[in-house]
Amino acid sequence: MPDGRLRASDLVETLWRLRLPEGGWSARSQGAVGRPEVTALVLGALARAGADGRLLAAEAEHCTERFTRELEPAGAELTHVVTTVLRGLLRAAPGSPALPVLRDALVDGAVTDPARDHRRCWGSRLTPPRGRTVAPSAVHTAQAVVALDRAARVLGEDTNARATREEGIRWLLSCPGAAHDGCDDLESGHETVRRPHPDDASRSEVLAVRHFSAAWVMRALLTPGAHAVAVDEGTEAVRQEMLAGAAACVWRQQDNGIWTWDGADLAYPLWMTYQGLSVLRAHAVWMYQPGG
């Protein structure tokens, strides 16, 4: 329920105070240089809270100017980083010329999975390391599907982008697990974003990222695009079954509304509770049928 003690204006002011002197935002482990994935998350939150559009546009431009393969080679290769920037800018700066470029980079970074009828999906990286292949990943495929679905509604969608997004949905719907409330696709994981330290070339700047996979898979399967694909191809019953299983998996990981990340130093991450509550609410709204 809305609570008058929690004022969005106070949160907005706090976020602006956390802005770095040279622009942008960073996580605590990232030092004094603004990083695109954190900046985009903040800009998206500020946009939802109704922050000044001119200030958001200036920060978004600063973010996109620095998010190039030359200046951000590590981030530009990672699906998590590109999808996070794309989602944040779609909300905060929907007219940004960088958005089609990010969308196309995400589409071009899809891989095929022989284990699932050679359907296209995504791994943790958009460009494979030299001499290696990129392993398919449910959480990164879900992140890409969510980002591309939002991009389609803001930017429109060409044939290639639509086909790739829909293949990602089909890949998620073809999970071979027998029980969809505890299959491998829903197993949470983590990755590391590693960059050269801005002040000391002998050190690395490390950001540990944890992925609440069940929540991401739910978000992807709840997109309008996923619903359309399932209805058109007669797999709506499969989608509903997988959504119910993912919802059960998300629900099991909380106690009295607080979500727990097992085995971590920070066992009760606030972002995980936010994601859990958000996706369960979205699922409840989708399930609701007046008079039913």
Side-chain angles (χ1 to χ4, degrees):
M1 297 295 292
D3 190 327
R5 294 171 295 179
L6 182 63
R7 299 182 182 276
S9 59
D10 292 341
L11 295 173
V12 168
E13 290 177 8
T14 298
L15 286 173
W16 281 120
R17 285 197 299 268
L18 291 171
R19 177 183 176 273
L20 296 169
E22 299 300 322
W25 285 261
S26 69
R28 285 176 294 180
S29 65
Q30 291 181 313
V33 175
R35 294 304 184 187
E37 67 273 24
V38 182
T39 297
L41 279 173
V42 173
L43 290 177
L46 288 172
R48 291 189 66 180
D52 189 319
R54 292 170 297 178
L55 296 177
L56 291 178
E59 288 296 334
E61 184 176 1
H62 177 75
C63 176
T64 56
E65 286 175 352
R66 289 200 52 82
F67 192 43
T68 65
R69 286 193 174 274
E70 292 74 26
L71 298 175
E72 275 282 349
E77 294 179 349
L78 298 178
T79 304
H80 157 70
V81 174
V82 172
T83 55
T84 301
V85 175
L86 183 56
R87 294 195 325 272
L89 292 181
L90 283 167
R91 194 180 299 276
S96 171
L99 289 173
V101 177
L102 292 170
R103 187 263 319 276
D104 292 345
L106 186 57
V107 170
D108 293 342
V111 298
T112 57
D113 183 8
R116 300 194 190 183
D117 295 329
H118 295 276
R119 292 185 173 94
R120 279 177 284 181
C121 58
W122 283 264
S124 62
R125 300 174 66 92
L126 298 175
T127 54
R130 184 173 299 176
R132 299 167 59 187
T133 59
V134 176
S137 163
V139 68
H140 292 98
T141 298
Q143 290 172 353
V145 166
V146 170
L148 290 175
D149 188 88
R150 294 184 185 180
R153 284 179 276 160
V154 174
L155 306 174
E157 194 174 41
D158 63 22
T159 302
N160 186 38
R162 178 175 181 175
T164 306
R165 175 181 58 80
E166 291 180 344
E167 276 287 276
I169 294 166
R170 295 186 189 100
W171 186 90
L172 290 170
L173 291 174
S174 64
C175 172
H180 293 301
D181 61 346
C183 58
D184 290 344
D185 281 5
L186 304 181
E187 184 176 348
S188 292
H190 59 85
E191 68 178 286
T192 300
V193 182
R194 188 180 300 272
R195 298 178 172 98
H197 194 280
D199 301 321
D200 186 350
S202 65
R203 297 165 52 203
S204 294
E205 175 194 277
V206 178
L207 177 66
V209 180
R210 291 178 283 178
H211 297 300
F212 191 0
S213 298
W216 275 109
V217 169
M218 282 189 70
R219 290 174 71 177
L221 294 180
L222 283 169
T223 59
H227 174 69
V229 167
V231 170
D232 290 345
E233 300 182 1
T235 56
E236 177 62 6
V238 174
R239 186 179 78 103
Q240 292 191 24
E241 178 187 356
M242 296 186 70
L243 273 170
C249 183
V250 170
W251 179 261
R252 283 200 308 268
Q253 297 180 62
Q254 60 83 33
D255 182 25
N256 289 324
I258 304 298
W259 268 257
T260 304
W261 186 278
D262 293 333
D265 293 335
L266 300 175
Y268 304 100
L270 186 60
W271 61 265
M272 190 177 186
T273 289
Y274 168 75
Q275 288 189 6
L277 289 172
S278 296
V279 75
L280 288 178
R281 180 177 62 180
H283 184 250
V285 171
W286 171 73
M287 289 285 292
Y288 176 67
Q289 297 182 17

